[in-house]
Amino acid sequence: MNGITIALSKGRIFEETLPLLAAAGIVPDENPDTSRKLIIQTSRPDVRVVVVRASDVPTYVQHGAADLGVAGRDVLIEHGGAGLYQPLDLNIARCRMMVAVPEGFDYAHAVRQGARLKVATKYLRIAREHFAAKGVHVDLIKLYGSMELAPLAGLADAIVDLVSTGSTLKANRLVAVEHVLDISSRLIVNQAALKLKRESLAPILDAFTAAVRP
Amino acid sequence: MNWLLPDYLADALPLEAAQIERLRRLTLDLYARHGFELVMPPLVEYLDSLLTGSGQDLMLSTCKLVDQLSGRTLGVRADMTPQVARIDAHLLNREGVVRLCYCDSILHALPADQAASREPIQLGAEIYGHRGVEADIEVIRLMAATLSTVGAPADRIDLSHVGVFRALTQAAGLTPESEARLFKLLQQKDATNLAAACADIAEPWRSAFLRLPGLYGDATTLARARRELPALPALAAALESLQRLADAMPELPLSFDLADLRGYHYHTGVVFAAFRHGFAGAVARGGRYDGGGTAFGRDRPATGFSLDLRELARLAPQLAPRAAIAAPFAEQAGSPLAGTIAKLRAAGEIVVEHLPGAAEDSRCDRRLVRNAVAGASGETDAQWIIEVINRG
């Protein structure tokens, strides 16, 4: 009942969370990239890690299946954040959410107020809010991957996607034309867990806070 | 046709229904012993009276239909609290303190989350007519007693006061838009975006807003708040009320969180929520909402709590279903068999009469049989005795 469960996704977020966990005295017994286990014990008997898809982390924490989690700001906005505290920006897994179009596409002309644009994205809520703020109508096409293909194949005029180095865009002759959001990962906490397990969660939160690099 | 129910609606089958009903009786009896009177407002009423003083949240969660008699829009209640406030302010019209309780289905247009029902059974109790903290103490104690009575005592009762945030926004002269933005960020303890949103607020208000997300914990939180927050009269009064609650109820597992303000739009004072291990939200919530009856003709102080009985029924320990006694069908009124069955039922036993040809009910662990010895001495009740069923 008083154990702590932390939800993490594998890959970059897991790797970059390890130093923060270590600061709280938590060392996972295994690495999910090499192990197929979904529940990983740690050096602390009262703490375990569950390995879930990045976009599922807020769901696990919201429903109390995990007490803590690390989730990108993109994932949190899409989830809506109900039932969650997000007290700390961990400054890890940083990238940018951008609008990209094919080379030669006149984006400035296409997004005049009252215009209509076809946009392919995995991030429906972020895209809808971004274009709504500009007063541009968008038809959103939900895709799960390879967004770069959509404008090339004639599925959409533009995409809204995460960009870290820009090399995928370049390889497919797309250009990033507009910055939407800066993304980094947040520590998220189940609201009831922070009330019920404050005594054991607070030291972990404090250790993370002290270990975050600016 | 496979008779599926709409999403987020469910039948309560016998075991669950028995548990809900047992809890309903336990809690309503508890409230009756504390002097609370039960009221039963209608399932639907005119939308405008249903939404009075409740803000946008309730508007979105209320299902609407058109009244064929009047042509006006009706709402299916998504919350009974405004209805009960209307009863106190408009119908009862009693001076002084009124204690009311209620328990009935409500309908949410959208489920609160993926695990929630759209038809919670709202159980609650409200005290009208007393402005002092004493009424808050009484309802918080009653909320704690509700949970203990059903065998699921609160592991934590979290208290806050909307006066803290309200005093700061007024002193800082925030526009309604920036107040709403700050409120949302505080609910998520989103310190990162809060810092950005507070960038152009003047000191000392800016630092005060930034401190709020960290002002949670045990009763020492209040002393910390007095040190760290600006000395505004309204803010000091709010902290003083919370201190009185802390001093009055050392028997309860109280904690404090000055940034947690659910229901801020209609609450006016102390707000509270009960939490229990193994449940990922608040089990029960409540708070003070003075003036909720103003639109109905009387400005009445009010405080109370409510919870979803369906969720409580899942959380509370389940009793094993009571075993029953099988009996032959007693066709003849006044027969010794009918008399024996009536006596057993009067003593609280479940007696199932078996219709001819029907299999014995699996809930029966005993059966009524004819006593061969007594049978010879004439027609008396002693003719029927209870025999234990051995299902080996």
Side-chain angles (χ1 to χ4, degrees):
Chain A
M1 209 48 101
N2 283 310
I4 297 168
T5 302
I6 304 176
L8 296 174
S9 54
K10 15 178 173 186
R12 190 169 167 194
I13 285 186
F14 186 87
E15 296 299 336
E16 297 187 20
T17 305
L18 281 178
L20 300 169
L21 286 172
I26 301 166
V27 181
D29 289 351
E30 288 171 87
N31 186 328
D33 287 321
T34 52
S35 161
R36 300 191 75 88
K37 279 194 194 155
L38 297 176
I39 298 179
I40 297 178
Q41 302 302 326
T42 69
S43 53
R44 276 176 55 173
D46 61 327
V47 179
R48 61 178 192 168
V49 170
V50 294
V51 181
V52 302
R53 253 188 99 95
S55 51
D56 293 337
V57 169
T59 310
Y60 271 77
V61 178
Q62 177 192 1
H63 293 286
D67 302 304
L68 299 176
V70 175
R73 189 177 173 204
D74 51 331
V75 165
L76 278 171
I77 294 175
E78 292 298 318
H79 171 270
L84 303 176
Y85 290 132
Q86 23 186 306
L88 191 58
D89 187 343
L90 300 177
N91 266 326
I92 60 170
R94 298 183 64 103
C95 54
R96 286 169 304 159
M97 185 73 72
M98 305 283 290
V99 181
V101 296
E103 280 174 17
F105 182 86
D106 187 355
Y107 181 70
H109 181 77
V111 293
R112 285 167 310 161
Q113 199 157 53
R116 197 157 193 115
L117 198 67
K118 228 186 256 184
V119 176
T121 185
K122 191 158 95 178
Y123 308 96
L124 294 182
R125 192 185 278 217
I126 293 173
R128 188 179 296 120
E129 284 172 9
H130 175 71
F131 288 105
K134 295 164 70 78
V136 175
H137 293 281
V138 284
D139 298 311
L140 292 174
I141 299 171
K142 164 96 183 179
L143 293 179
Y144 290 86
S146 302
M147 249 71 74
E148 296 80 4
L149 182 59
L152 306 177
L155 188 59
D157 303 316
I159 63 172
V160 170
D161 200 8
L162 292 179
V163 179
S164 40
T165 61
S167 53
T168 317
L169 290 182
K170 198 169 278 174
N172 291 291
R173 300 172 63 82
L174 297 179
V175 281
V177 287
E178 196 163 49
H179 176 256
V180 180
L181 281 175
D182 280 324
I183 305 290
S184 60
S185 289
R186 304 292 181 93
L187 179 69
I188 58 174
V189 188
N190 174 275
Q191 293 187 352
L194 191 62
K195 315 280 185 205
L196 289 163
K197 304 181 184 176
R198 187 187 68 238
E199 291 81 354
S200 44
L201 289 180
I204 299 181
L205 262 57
D206 291 343
F208 270 49
T209 309
V212 167
R213 279 180 308 199
Chain B
M1 198 65 183
N2 49 12
W3 308 116
L4 288 180
L5 291 174
D7 285 353
Y8 303 104
L9 291 174
D11 296 305
L13 297 180
L15 268 184
E16 188 191 357
Q19 168 82 339
I20 290 173
E21 178 60 14
R22 183 176 69 87
L23 265 48
R24 194 184 68 88
R25 292 182 195 182
L26 279 174
T27 50
L28 290 181
D29 285 352
L30 172 76
Y31 302 161
R33 289 197 299 275
H34 281 79
F36 286 74
E37 297 172 280
L38 182 67
V39 289
M40 297 179 176
L43 180 63
V44 290
E45 59 172 286
Y46 294 126
L47 190 63
D48 37 10
S49 72
L50 209 50
L51 298 184
T52 298
S54 63
Q56 195 66 15
D57 296 352
L58 209 47
M59 174 73 180
L60 292 175
S61 57
T62 302
C63 283
K64 289 109 186 161
L65 52 153
V66 174
D67 181 13
Q68 304 214 358
L69 288 177
S70 65
R72 292 172 66 185
T73 307
L74 301 178
V76 183
R77 63 183 173 209
D79 181 1
M80 286 173 74
T81 324
Q83 295 187 298
V84 181
R86 173 178 57 75
I87 289 176
D88 167 72
H90 187 65
L91 297 180
L92 292 182
N93 239 337
R94 294 185 203 151
E95 287 308 319
V97 174
V98 172
R99 291 179 174 84
L100 299 176
C101 62
Y102 49 92
C103 180
D104 230 321
S105 283
I106 55 176
L107 184 68
H108 289 167
L110 298 171
D113 63 65
Q114 294 167 51
S117 167
R118 284 199 289 174
E119 193 212 345
I121 301 175
Q122 191 180 24
L123 168 72
E126 316 285 331
I127 299 179
Y128 300 95
H130 187 79
R131 242 169 249 287
V133 155
E134 298 83 358
D136 298 308
I137 294 176
E138 181 173 340
V139 292
I140 291 171
R141 283 211 173 109
L142 191 61
M143 176 178 80
T146 300
L147 301 178
S148 307
T149 298
V150 304
D155 291 313
R156 200 133 277 173
I157 294 177
D158 203 48
L159 306 180
S160 189
H161 197 300
V162 300
V164 175
F165 179 65
R166 200 158 278 158
L168 287 173
T169 54
Q170 273 167 12
L174 295 192
T175 61
E177 293 78 34
S178 43
E179 179 181 348
R181 191 166 68 239
L182 255 52
F183 172 76
K184 181 164 177 258
L185 296 171
L186 281 173
Q187 296 323 288
Q188 303 183 330
K189 295 197 190 295
D190 184 345
T192 321
N193 289 330
L194 188 64
C198 287
D200 48 5
I201 295 175
E203 291 291 358
W205 321 121
R206 197 174 78 88
S207 317
F209 284 120
L210 296 181
R211 287 209 167 97
L212 280 182
L215 285 170
Y216 68 94
D218 59 17
T220 59
T221 307
L222 299 175
R224 227 163 15 105
R226 276 191 289 268
R227 276 199 311 274
E228 294 180 8
L229 298 179
L232 295 165
L235 200 158
L239 292 177
E240 180 53 35
S241 303
L242 288 175
Q243 189 65 53
R244 276 191 65 194
L245 296 178
D247 294 343
M249 296 182 283
E251 81 278 15
L252 294 179
L254 298 184
S255 63
F256 300 84
D257 186 340
L258 298 185
D260 209 337
L261 302 169
R262 189 176 299 222
Y264 174 70
H265 304 292
Y266 55 90
H267 280 310
T268 58
V270 173
V271 291
F272 47 86
F275 294 88
R276 195 170 153 75
H277 282 295
F279 191 71
V283 182
R285 286 190 176 279
R288 179 165 281 282
Y289 53 105
D290 293 348
T294 312
F296 302 114
R298 286 204 302 162
D299 174 13
R300 292 273 284 170
T303 182
F305 70 90
S306 70
L307 56 83
D308 178 7
L309 192 58
R310 278 183 205 274
E311 281 177 350
L312 188 65
R314 248 168 265 146
L315 216 62
Q318 195 103 31
L319 292 192
R322 290 208 19 232
I325 299 171
F329 185 69
E331 182 164 330
Q332 200 58 52
S335 68
L337 176 59
T340 307
I341 291 174
K343 262 189 211 159
L344 285 169
R345 283 180 180 153
E349 291 286 356
I350 302 172
V351 184
V352 183
E353 289 174 66
H354 280 97
L355 301 174
E360 208 166 61
D361 196 304
S362 63
R363 290 171 300 162
C364 297
D365 66 345
R366 289 152 297 163
R367 67 168 76 89
L368 265 187
V369 292
R370 202 183 284 274
N371 184 346
V373 180
S377 65
E379 290 284 300
T380 64
D381 294 355
Q383 209 178 351
W384 294 92
I385 57 165
I386 295 171
E387 171 192 279
V388 173
I389 299 176
N390 192 346
R391 290 191 209 277

